[in-house]
Amino acid sequence: MHAFAPRPARTIAAGAALVAGTLLLTACGSSGPAKPSEDDLHGRLPESIRTKGVLKIASDLNYAPVEFKASDGSAVGIDPDIAAELGKQLGVKVEIADTAFDKLIPGLQAGDFDLAMSAMTDNRQRREGTDDAGKVVNPGVDFVDYFIAGTQMLVPKGNPEKIAKLDDLCGHTVALQRGTTQDAIVERQVGACARAHKPLTVKLFDNDTEALAELAAGRADADLNDYPVAAYVAAKGGPNGAKFDIAGAQLQPSPYGIAVNKKNTELRDVLVKALNQMIRDGSYENILQKWGVAAGAAQNAVVNGGF
């Protein structure tokens, strides 16, 4: 759900495919080192990461099944699995730092970690670093897109309020995580409901677990979430065994992207190559099938392909 301010699907624009290159040797008598080949992904990493041997990735581990904590506190889910496989492709250890969603981009821009990977929707606002009014408030980020997901509404079992579309939310209360794509979708809907003289009440929480608990307790009529999360919650149940249904069709399918500091084009470009290699060798598809989300597969990695 995490879109922007949106977290949160089925097709993706074509992106650059990995092209195998030949080893580029320095000219005879040159004092410079040989450049790594296109296939030497480790050698194409930024020197600082090669030296550490560690790729530090920030993620908000509170968004099952995309990323969450196992009983021992370790990171599990779709994103951690993809991150671990990327580490194998790149020949480095992956460390995941549990970080609040609204701190991911600021922390990335401050250099606290190398990447942010947290069901984060690639959109223009995040890429350009603008606020809701279009004012530039930060340098923005680049994205390497790797999965497609739309927004889905969750309602109590049986859908007592008969909610099937956004306009059906008017006159009701919605609980959701702040700083997400869903936050932005509902913010726009607030105006539409006001014009219809049926105010929409929005309750924002720091994480999705709190929002679902509000819905489970009967203090909200709906929750908006990314499709993989909504499907997982509907199948597995929510807080204290609460039961939910999916309501209506997916809204605004968009790509999830791995956020990269705009200055770090070297890391961005090698991530594209590593992800494309995963797609070719089948490890990417295996991860999505493991979590039951193969329908959201990207055909290839794309840089900044969101809307």
Side-chain angles (χ1 to χ4, degrees), residues 169-188:
L169 297 176
C170 295
H172 295 291
T173 298
V174 175
L176 46 87
Q177 183 177 356
R178 64 171 49 88
T180 62
T181 298
Q182 289 71 34
D183 189 354
I185 290 172
V186 169
E187 184 177 350
R188 292 191 291 271

Side-chain angles (χ1 to χ4, degrees), residues 13-62:
L18 177 61
V19 179
T22 57
L23 181 64
L24 301 177
L25 300 177
T26 56
C28 181
S30 170
S31 60
K35 294 181 180 179
S37 73
E38 290 289 324
D39 293 331
D40 179 12
L41 299 186
H42 181 79
R44 300 184 73 85
L45 283 168
E47 183 179 358
S48 60
I49 294 175
R50 293 200 314 272
T51 299
K52 293 184 299 183
V54 173
L55 188 63
K56 189 172 182 180
I57 303 177
S59 186
D60 184 358
L61 301 177
N62 195 31

Side-chain angles (χ1 to χ4, degrees), residues 24-298:
L24 301 177
L25 300 177
T26 56
C28 181
S30 170
S31 60
K35 294 181 180 179
S37 73
E38 290 289 324
D39 293 331
D40 179 12
L41 299 186
H42 181 79
R44 300 184 73 85
L45 283 168
E47 183 179 358
S48 60
I49 294 175
R50 293 200 314 272
T51 299
K52 293 184 299 183
V54 173
L55 188 63
K56 189 172 182 180
I57 303 177
S59 186
D60 184 358
L61 301 177
N62 195 31
Y63 207 61
V66 188
E67 55 261 327
F68 59 108
K69 291 181 181 178
S71 57
D72 63 359
S74 61
V76 293
I78 300 165
D79 281 356
D81 282 357
I82 292 175
E85 184 60 34
L86 284 172
K88 293 178 183 178
Q89 298 283 346
L90 297 170
V92 292
K93 179 182 177 182
V94 168
E95 291 183 356
I96 295 182
D98 188 13
T99 306
F101 191 79
D102 60 359
K103 305 298 182 185
L104 293 174
I105 288 180
L108 179 63
Q109 293 170 336
D112 296 338
F113 29 81
D114 303 306
L115 303 169
M117 187 177 186
S118 193
M120 184 178 291
T121 301
D122 169 5
N123 61 33
R124 180 176 296 177
Q125 188 171 357
R126 287 183 172 134
R127 294 194 304 269
E128 297 180 354
T130 57
D131 61 15
D132 292 338
K135 179 182 178 181
V136 175
V137 293
N138 66 66
V141 296
D142 281 339
F143 285 103
V144 176
D145 299 340
Y146 64 99
F147 186 79
I148 308 298
T151 287
Q152 190 78 65
M153 292 186 289
L154 274 173
V155 296
K157 193 72 176 178
N159 195 4
E161 299 297 335
K162 308 303 179 186
I163 292 170
K165 56 187 183 298
L166 282 177
D167 285 346
D168 293 340
L169 297 176
C170 295
H172 295 291
T173 298
V174 175
L176 46 87
Q177 183 177 356
R178 64 171 49 88
T180 62
T181 298
Q182 289 71 34
D183 189 354
I185 290 172
V186 169
E187 184 177 350
R188 292 191 291 271
Q189 187 62 28
V190 166
C193 292
R195 291 189 291 273
H197 306 290
K198 298 173 65 178
L200 170 59
T201 301
V202 181
K203 294 184 176 181
L204 297 175
F205 297 89
D206 289 336
N207 59 66
D208 189 55
T209 299
E210 294 174 352
L212 286 172
E214 193 76 358
L215 180 61
R219 294 188 292 269
D221 302 304
D223 168 90
L224 272 69
N225 238 311
D226 286 0
Y227 172 73
V229 178
Y232 182 84
V233 171
K236 301 291 186 180
N240 300 317
K243 301 297 182 182
F244 303 107
D245 283 337
I246 286 176
Q250 286 191 58
L251 307 169
Q252 302 180 8
S254 300
Y256 285 169
I258 304 171
V260 189
N261 192 304
K262 278 186 174 292
K263 297 178 180 179
N264 205 345
T265 56
E266 192 176 16
L267 177 57
R268 180 198 68 194
D269 293 345
V270 77
L271 280 178
V272 170
K273 297 178 184 298
L275 184 57
N276 280 334
Q277 178 60 34
M278 288 176 57
I279 292 171
R280 286 201 307 272
D281 68 21
S283 55
Y284 170 78
E285 183 180 1
N286 289 342
I287 291 168
L288 299 191
Q289 288 181 343
K290 169 185 172 181
W291 293 101
V293 294

